[in-house]
Amino acid sequence: MIGLISATAAGAAARDRLAAAWPDRTRVYDGPVADAVRRAFAECGQLVCFLATGAVVRLVAPLLGDKATDPGVVCVDEGGRYAVSLVGGHGGGANDLAREVGAVLGAEPVVTTATDAVGIAGLDTLGLPVEGAVAAVSRALLDGEPVALRAEVAWPLPPLPVAADGPYTIRVTDRLVEPAEREAVLRPPTLVVGVGASKGAPAAEVLDVIDSALRDAGLSVRSVAELATVDAKAEEGGIVEAAARLGVPLVTYAAGELARVEVPNPSDAPLAAVGTPSVAEAAALVRGGELLVPKRKSAASPAMATCAVARRPGRGRLAVVGLGPGARDLMTPRARAELERASVLVGLDQYVDQIRDLLRPGTRILESGLGAEEERARTAVAEARKGQAVALIGSGDAGVYAMASPALAEASDDIDVVGVPGVTAALAAGAILGAPLGHDHVSISLSDLHTPWEVIERRVRAAAEADLVVTFYNPRSRGRDWQLPKALAILAGHREPATPVGVVRNASRPDESSRLTTLGALDPATVDMMTVVTVGNTATREIAGRMVTPRGYRWQASQEDAQ
């Protein structure tokens, strides 16, 4: 919950705007400001104070305890111009909150945390438990000192400016190790603990067998991702409480599913009791992985709990990102976030150049030229299979004549794939022209590099017969100068020469140009590969210099009748 505190009418107005935008996330604290701050500090995970920063500093200073547990505090000035991350930038989430508040109120977020200021991912912002010399290693990253990354287990980390070797180290491990003097240890959630228990087994016994199994195997409890068991034990009190006390989810599986898992130590007892020859080992291994600790029983007599531990490999992540038509403000916030998250970027060289300044230090860039789409797709998938966080970029929307289809054709279910939509060239051009896509429409690429012309021609003819608005991608190049005239001739067999045609080149880019012409007057020689050509249907009209396709023909008919 986010506590909201204000002292003036202007502050209360901004406070109420935020409360209206986030009704389920916020709570307004009225009354004397000092009392309100104290109550909100004790009851909320974050605070937004519509007060001067100096006042908030004096109010919260006596309340501060530990940056790992203190709430994040954001200040918004009287004029609503700035949202200042004051306390708990990382641990309390104040940096992100300042950005969110700024987006709602139109305020400029002010973030002074050093790593955020230079674009380096803070070690305490990666979503992983971290211990050791976190401050010293972070300072070394900021100062440009060599910091080595030693990943004992693969995990998709964001980009970090690391070196092959150095006096400082970031160690990624699920092993129970003590950090060295200049070492920060990240604990990825790679361990799955399968558990079984007799009815009424106490939580203390379940926790004891888990703790001893991890300790004896030299594994860190901070890398436990989940407890897993059979459906029949989903409400077994000792297991449920053990998961809660470890702070991890309890995942359950049907007995039949567990029975199909090959394990080293099957037993008749669980087969008779719950329908599977293994609970602990099978539950640990059911989603794949390496068995690190075979089934072991608790030390109590009689033993009422068992556990087994498996290491599940970190899954790589492939984000297929649409950059939009070119203008920076038409790139989605989600696309920008994925660019910052990816440690490996794969893309066409000219698209990489467009967003190079948005990449974080340490991002590895794999770029290539035109005509290497399949190679880029294979490269991106291969990097994700190594456990990397990868962004594969394309212009417009990655799923429209771009990289999503070759990448997904290459990828299997051994990696996570995320699609990030973008503003397509057809949409960008349509907005410039007016409203040409107001009714049913189709996009057709005239490039026959990947599709036989016979297929393209059949699709153009079908669109012409169906009276669809048509947007032509890849309409004409120096080596392909006859396809566009042929496609226009097919459309001309079903539409009047006066049919409006919109021509937009480099939509949303600095050298953007557009013009409205007709099907009979369009000169194909004026079109190139950077152009989108939109041909209207029989209802499309030019109205006040804009290309408009009405949503329904009855509206157009009524307009004509009125004339």
Side-chain angles (χ1 to χ4, degrees):
M1 188 63 64
I2 303 170
L4 306 181
I5 302 102
S6 63
T8 65
R15 176 203 67 192
D16 292 343
R17 285 174 58 198
L18 199 61
W22 299 339
D24 299 327
R25 298 177 59 190
T26 57
R27 180 187 302 161
V28 173
Y29 283 80
D30 292 317
V33 171
D35 292 340
V37 169
R38 280 193 293 271
R39 286 185 287 122
F41 198 92
E43 297 170 0
C44 297
Q46 295 175 321
L47 280 70
V48 179
C49 300
F50 297 85
L51 306 164
T53 55
V56 179
V57 167
R58 287 190 292 272
L59 290 170
V60 302
L63 309 176
L64 297 175
D66 185 339
K67 71 175 185 178
T69 56
D70 287 338
V73 180
V74 170
C75 293
V76 178
D77 66 289
E78 184 77 3
R81 293 173 298 172
Y82 303 103
V84 182
S85 173
L86 187 68
V87 173
H90 286 168
N95 291 351
D96 289 338
L97 180 60
R99 297 183 183 100
E100 289 187 85
V101 170
V104 173
L105 300 181
E108 180 73 21
V110 179
V111 176
T112 58
T113 308
T115 50
D116 292 77
V118 299
I120 294 175
L123 298 181
D124 55 351
T125 68
L126 304 183
L128 304 178
V130 59
E131 56 196 68
V134 179
V137 173
S138 297
R139 174 52 57 188
L141 289 171
L142 290 168
D143 291 343
E145 297 188 50
V147 177
L149 176 64
R150 295 177 182 163
E152 297 177 6
V153 291
W155 198 259
L157 297 174
L160 294 166
V162 294
D165 200 4
Y168 296 88
T169 305
I170 299 170
R171 187 174 180 181
V172 185
T173 183
D174 54 18
R175 292 286 176 184
L176 188 61
V177 296
E178 284 295 325
E181 182 180 355
R182 294 184 173 186
E183 182 176 68
V185 175
L186 294 172
R187 303 287 190 189
T190 56
L191 304 179
V192 178
V193 179
V195 291
S198 303
K199 185 175 178 60
E205 184 172 342
V206 177
L207 288 167
D208 181 68
V209 69
I210 293 172
D211 180 68
S212 62
L214 293 171
R215 185 178 61 252
D216 293 349
L219 300 170
S220 172
V221 69
R222 302 189 77 185
S223 282
V224 174
E226 62 190 42
L227 298 192
T229 191
V230 67
D231 282 349
K233 297 295 179 179
E235 298 182 3
E236 185 62 48
I239 296 177
V240 173
E241 184 179 342
R245 287 168 63 178
L246 289 172
V248 299
L250 175 62
V251 180
T252 65
Y253 300 96
E257 188 174 6
L258 296 183
R260 292 191 290 270
V261 180
E262 292 188 11
V263 297
N265 300 293
S267 172
D268 292 335
L271 179 61
V274 294
T276 173
S278 172
V279 173
E281 289 180 341
L285 290 170
V286 65
R287 290 292 175 257
E290 173 191 4
L291 188 65
L292 303 179
V293 180
K295 181 181 71 175
R296 61 188 294 167
K297 296 181 179 180
S298 56
S301 184
M304 299 184 71
T306 61
C307 84
V309 183
R311 176 183 289 135
R312 194 175 290 172
R315 288 173 63 88
R317 187 177 190 275
L318 173 60
V320 188
V321 181
L323 300 178
R328 184 61 60 84
D329 61 352
L330 289 182
M331 183 187 301
T332 67
R334 188 178 300 178
R336 295 185 68 141
E338 290 294 346
L339 295 179
E340 293 179 354
R341 176 174 181 165
S343 60
V344 180
L345 183 88
V346 182
L348 179 67
D349 47 13
Q350 64 188 49
Y351 297 151
V352 172
D353 288 341
Q354 292 178 21
I355 49 86
R356 200 181 296 271
D357 63 302
L358 298 179
L359 305 179
R360 280 181 161 173
T363 304
R364 185 157 55 95
I365 300 173
L366 304 176
E367 54 188 316
S368 54
L370 287 168
E373 288 83 2
E374 288 81 2
E375 177 188 340
R376 285 195 290 275
R378 287 192 294 269
T379 297
V381 171
E383 290 293 329
R385 284 178 175 148
K386 296 176 185 177
Q388 302 285 345
V390 182
L392 175 62
I393 61 171
S395 67
D397 182 280
V400 180
Y401 304 121
M403 294 305 303
S405 54
L408 269 62
E410 185 73 23
S412 53
D413 62 0
D414 57 345
I415 60 173
D416 295 325
V417 179
V418 178
V420 182
V423 178
T424 69
L427 296 180
I432 293 166
L433 294 169
L437 308 182
H439 207 285
D440 296 338
H441 55 274
V442 62
S443 296
I444 299 176
S445 171
L446 294 184
S447 172
D448 55 1
L449 296 177
H450 300 285
T451 305
W453 174 253
E454 293 76 14
V455 174
I456 296 173
E457 182 174 336
R458 189 164 63 246
R459 291 170 179 171
V460 174
R461 198 172 302 280
E465 293 173 352
D467 198 25
L468 297 173
V469 175
V470 181
T471 297
F472 288 124
Y473 280 71
N474 306 312
R476 184 176 181 273
S477 68
R478 282 177 294 182
R480 294 185 302 100
D481 59 0
W482 58 269
Q483 287 91 340
L484 179 59
K486 177 67 173 176
L488 294 175
I490 294 172
L491 292 176
H494 297 78
R495 300 176 194 184
E496 295 296 326
T499 300
V501 175
V503 181
V504 180
R505 188 177 190 277
N506 284 332
S508 87
R509 300 184 184 184
D511 56 345
E512 168 191 299
S513 65
S514 65
R515 68 184 189 278
L516 194 58
T517 182
T518 65
L519 185 56
L522 174 61
D523 180 4
T526 62
V527 173
D528 63 12
M529 282 289 287
M530 305 305 294
T531 305
V532 173
V533 177
T534 301
V535 182
N537 65 11
T538 56
T540 304
R541 298 289 184 268
E542 179 183 344
I543 302 175
R546 303 180 185 93
M547 185 176 178
V548 180
T549 303
R551 291 185 63 188
Y553 294 136
R554 283 181 292 179
W555 176 86
Q556 187 70 37
S558 65
Q559 289 288 96
E560 293 173 349
D561 291 344
Q563 295 172 0

